[in-house]
Amino acid sequence: MKYIATIVLAVFFIMPVSSQEDRPKLVVGIVVDQMRYDYLTRFYSKYGDGGFKRMMREGFNCKNNHFNYVPTYTGPGHASIFTGTTPKYHGVIGNHWYDKEAKGMVYCAGDNTVLPIGTNSDMERMSPHRMQTTTFADENRLFTQMRGKSIGISIKDRGAVLPAGHSANAAYWFRGKDEGNFVSSSYYFKQFPKWVDDFNASKIAQSYLKEWHTLYDISTYVESGPDSNEFEGGFNGKETATFPYNLKKLAKKNEGFDILKATPFGNSIVADFAIKAIQAEALGKDDITDVLTVSFSSTDYVGHNFGVNSKEIEDTYIRLDKDLERFFKVLDGEVGKGEYTVFLTADHGAIDVPAYLQSNKIPAGYLDNNARKALFQKFLIDTYGTADIVENISNNQIFLNRDMIKALDLDLEDIQDAIVNEQIRYPHITKAYTATTMGTVNFTDGIEALLQKGYHQKRSGDVILVNDPAYINYSKTGSTHGSGLNYDTHVPLLFFGKGIKKGQTYKKTEITDIAPTISALLGISFPNFAIGQPLEFVLENE
């Protein structure tokens, strides 16, 4: 017994303890919207030494990092990164989803109980109330008795609101249209801090309505396809999706300041605002850890518009690298080298434009949802006498009208099974599963396990559909995302700064590992439904 006690005592004393001095003064969580992992390697030669390369050189590069659920959308992605869990538990099952109780679509950050701040538009009534679990920023607030600050910043509201957490001091996002300002909601405060009013009054957004040309000679952009091709969308008012773009001239036909969202300058103004927040809020200026979340969303808008293989996406990442470099220099000066910790990842990847893949003989294509809908309605009427037993079809899920099923004295599980057997016959549906299957079978690998981690029993549908690889419901120009395939799940994961080792790994890591890793670094409680594990090989004091 004495021998065992000695061992226990020895283990206790050699275990690292996260002290005040060990913790970074500031944690910065960076999300690059729609960033595929191969953007790190494909554009590597074009990056400078102070942005992405600095993170890889001075920090730790997890090269085989994946999302571990479906669907791979922006709202679920941001929620999962910062909560350490998946839609199955945090409840953000899409950007929008069908609410079975309200009988209508809801938005992941929408909240009609709050008021917009900084704008008169009712479109900006946002809060994190639909996210059901805590983030590591929430846990840091609780750990520090609410003295550690938590602020979220993005072009997109959901990219600011969800990462910052429920107890955040503030979340700010960009309203375009005819305003060009950062806005927020009364969930956080009744009026802006003076520095936010001053930033908006500076009219910095106007300065970015300028000509967008490639940063370097376009002939050197050999990592992307031809500038003129048939796979890109472009802007209203310009016949071709080719450089240069006169943004000031095009703004009127493209929702005013909204045009900035689909250019590299949307990222630049986010970096400007984040730098101002660090300075004005004195983030990282004392020994109580603060959290800043920054989501660069313009990469997503550019990808949707121009596609994965465009020169526009290449130039956007080259310019983002420059913005990261100046952002890190401010952190060095304001917080101090070695006093802050940064991680960088993405909320999802993206598919190459299927039309482009087809042109290179790679299996891909577009879904004919109208034809699919007609087949399905005929089946419902022929089988049940009505199509109204289906209440909604969205996000590759079918929601049944349970009241009608009960009134018709039908069996819910029988209908689910019949729909699966019907849908699997349709072109380009590769798999279909019932809610009963998702709730009763424990899948451990494959697409089934990803679907299950994305399935929320109360919020998700009665039948889940999976399309063929590289088949999408989208325009024939530009890229999109949402699947469980590698082009959507494989995203960067870089750590650097205080408490982080230098190194790299091809060991598989998952997006839900990030929040537990940061929590372990800070010595705080994990988010309350985190399922990920700390990446011990990343931390200096593992």
Side-chain angles (χ1 to χ4, degrees):
M1 184 65 70
K2 181 179 179 181
Y3 177 69
I4 294 173
T6 304
I7 293 176
V8 172
L9 191 61
V11 170
F12 176 81
F13 278 114
I14 64 173
M15 286 180 65
V17 179
S18 181
S19 67
Q20 193 80 11
E21 293 75 22
D22 293 332
R23 299 185 193 109
K25 294 182 177 181
L26 176 65
V27 172
V28 181
I30 298 175
V31 181
V32 183
D33 204 323
Q34 204 189 112
M35 185 176 185
R36 292 162 50 117
Y37 173 78
D38 65 351
Y39 288 160
L40 278 181
T41 54
R42 201 169 113 206
F43 306 140
Y44 186 86
S45 65
K46 294 292 193 299
Y47 295 144
D49 290 330
F52 291 117
K53 284 184 179 178
R54 179 179 175 185
M55 295 195 76
M56 289 185 273
R57 182 179 65 252
E58 297 181 12
F60 204 98
N61 185 359
C62 298
K63 297 184 174 183
N64 190 22
N65 183 61
H66 288 263
F67 276 86
N68 54 350
Y69 65 84
V70 177
T72 44
Y73 296 140
T74 299
H78 282 78
S80 298
I81 291 164
F82 290 87
T83 64
T85 192
T86 68
K88 179 178 181 179
Y89 301 112
H90 62 59
V92 182
I93 63 171
N95 293 333
H96 298 81
W97 65 85
Y98 182 71
D99 187 312
K100 291 183 277 192
E101 294 182 5
K103 305 299 183 185
M105 299 297 291
V106 296
Y107 178 56
C108 63
D111 186 350
N112 287 331
T113 69
V114 301
L115 297 173
I117 302 293
T119 176
N120 292 322
S121 171
D122 275 347
M123 299 295 291
E124 311 304 333
R125 299 168 74 172
M126 304 292 169
S127 86
H129 77 110
R130 287 197 169 94
M131 183 171 65
Q132 297 178 313
T133 62
T134 62
T135 67
F136 75 77
D138 285 320
E139 297 299 337
N140 184 66
R141 291 274 285 159
L142 293 169
F143 182 84
T144 62
Q145 302 301 310
M146 301 296 165
R147 292 177 294 173
K149 291 183 178 181
S150 175
I151 296 176
I153 297 168
S154 179
I155 283 285
K156 294 181 180 179
D157 46 61
R158 57 189 180 270
V161 168
L162 300 175
H166 299 277
S167 59
N169 299 85
Y172 303 100
W173 55 94
F174 184 76
R175 177 162 177 80
K177 308 301 181 185
D178 60 349
E179 297 180 45
N181 290 328
F182 279 88
V183 300
S184 189
S185 82
S186 61
Y187 180 85
Y188 304 99
F189 34 54
K190 293 182 179 179
Q191 63 183 32
F192 278 151
K194 184 177 182 300
W195 71 265
V196 178
D197 285 327
D198 290 344
F199 184 94
N200 285 335
S202 72
K203 303 296 183 184
I204 192 170
Q206 291 184 0
S207 70
Y208 286 117
L209 289 177
K210 57 186 179 180
E211 186 170 89
W212 176 21
H213 52 79
T214 54
L215 186 63
Y216 305 127
D217 186 332
I218 196 169
S219 67
T220 68
Y221 282 33
V222 296
E223 297 82 6
S224 48
D227 190 30
S228 178
N229 61 74
E230 58 185 306
F231 311 118
E232 301 175 14
F235 295 116
N236 295 328
K238 192 174 190 300
E239 290 186 5
T240 60
T242 54
F243 283 103
Y245 298 95
N246 186 329
L247 302 182
K248 187 173 183 179
K249 180 179 178 181
L250 293 170
K252 188 174 181 180
K253 292 185 177 180
N254 292 272
E255 302 294 332
F257 287 104
D258 272 3
I259 196 171
L260 293 179
K261 298 178 180 181
T263 76
F265 307 123
N267 291 330
S268 297
I269 198 170
V270 166
D272 295 337
F273 193 81
I275 287 168
K276 189 63 179 177
I278 291 168
Q279 296 166 339
E281 297 284 352
L283 298 180
K285 286 294 190 181
D286 57 28
D287 292 331
I288 301 172
T289 303
D290 298 318
V291 174
L292 175 65
T293 72
V294 183
S295 180
F296 291 106
S297 305
S298 289
T299 42
D300 183 70
Y301 288 101
V302 175
H304 277 295
N305 192 352
F306 297 98
V308 164
N309 200 46
S310 64
K311 291 209 177 337
E312 286 81 0
I313 203 72
E314 179 169 0
D315 193 66
T316 296
Y317 276 90
I318 292 170
R319 289 177 181 272
L320 174 59
D321 183 62
K322 298 293 186 185
D323 285 324
L324 289 173
E325 181 174 4
R326 68 186 177 95
F327 181 63
F328 294 153
K329 285 181 178 178
V330 170
L331 289 173
D332 290 341
E334 295 289 332
V335 184
K337 283 188 177 182
E339 296 295 339
Y340 62 88
T341 305
V342 180
F343 70 81
L344 183 148
T345 189
D347 56 346
H348 52 74
I351 186 176
D352 256 304
V353 178
Y356 169 72
L357 295 176
Q358 289 174 329
S359 73
N360 287 283
K361 301 180 181 179
I362 296 173
Y366 298 89
L367 303 173
D368 187 344
N369 281 348
N370 289 330
R372 185 186 285 184
K373 182 179 179 180
L375 285 172
F376 188 42
Q377 285 192 322
K378 184 178 186 303
F379 160 78
L380 292 172
I381 292 170
D382 290 348
T383 308
Y384 303 108
T386 177
D388 291 340
I389 63 169
V390 171
E391 208 164 67
N392 178 268
I393 301 175
S394 55
N395 293 328
N396 293 318
Q397 298 182 38
I398 298 172
F399 295 80
L400 298 179
N401 186 328
R402 300 193 177 206
D403 292 336
M404 178 170 283
I405 289 170
K406 185 177 180 180
L408 294 174
D409 198 25
L410 298 171
D411 183 81
L412 178 64
E413 290 188 25
D414 287 347
I415 296 174
Q416 290 176 350
D417 289 336
I419 289 174
V420 164
N421 291 330
E422 172 68 12
Q423 288 280 336
I424 202 67
R425 298 173 47 247
Y426 297 167
H428 307 305
I429 289 183
T430 188
K431 291 181 181 294
Y433 296 96
T434 68
T436 302
T437 300
M438 287 292 109
T440 57
V441 180
N442 182 31
F443 296 107
T444 58
D445 56 20
I447 189 67
E448 293 81 5
L450 302 184
L451 290 169
Q452 195 164 54
K453 285 189 175 72
Y455 184 84
H456 189 280
Q457 188 174 14
K458 193 167 185 175
R459 294 181 174 180
S460 297
D462 290 277
V463 174
I464 304 174
L465 307 174
V466 180
N467 297 312
D468 283 349
Y471 272 77
I472 62 174
N473 177 30
Y474 202 66
S475 68
K476 293 191 176 182
T477 58
S479 297
T480 193
H481 49 86
S483 79
L485 294 158
N486 284 326
Y487 51 72
D488 281 337
T489 67
H490 190 194
V491 297
L493 177 54
L494 303 173
F495 295 89
F496 96 110
K498 189 165 189 175
I500 304 299
K501 286 181 179 178
K502 295 179 182 179
Q504 59 186 22
T505 185
Y506 286 104
K507 180 180 179 180
K508 187 173 184 179
T509 58
E510 295 184 333
I511 210 71
T512 49
D513 296 331
I514 297 171
T517 301
I518 296 299
S519 297
L521 174 69
L522 297 179
I524 63 176
S525 294
F526 290 8
N528 59 16
F529 225 134
I531 63 171
Q533 298 297 317
L535 303 176
E536 296 182 49
F537 48 83
V538 167
L539 303 176
E540 285 184 341
N541 296 319
E542 60 180 274

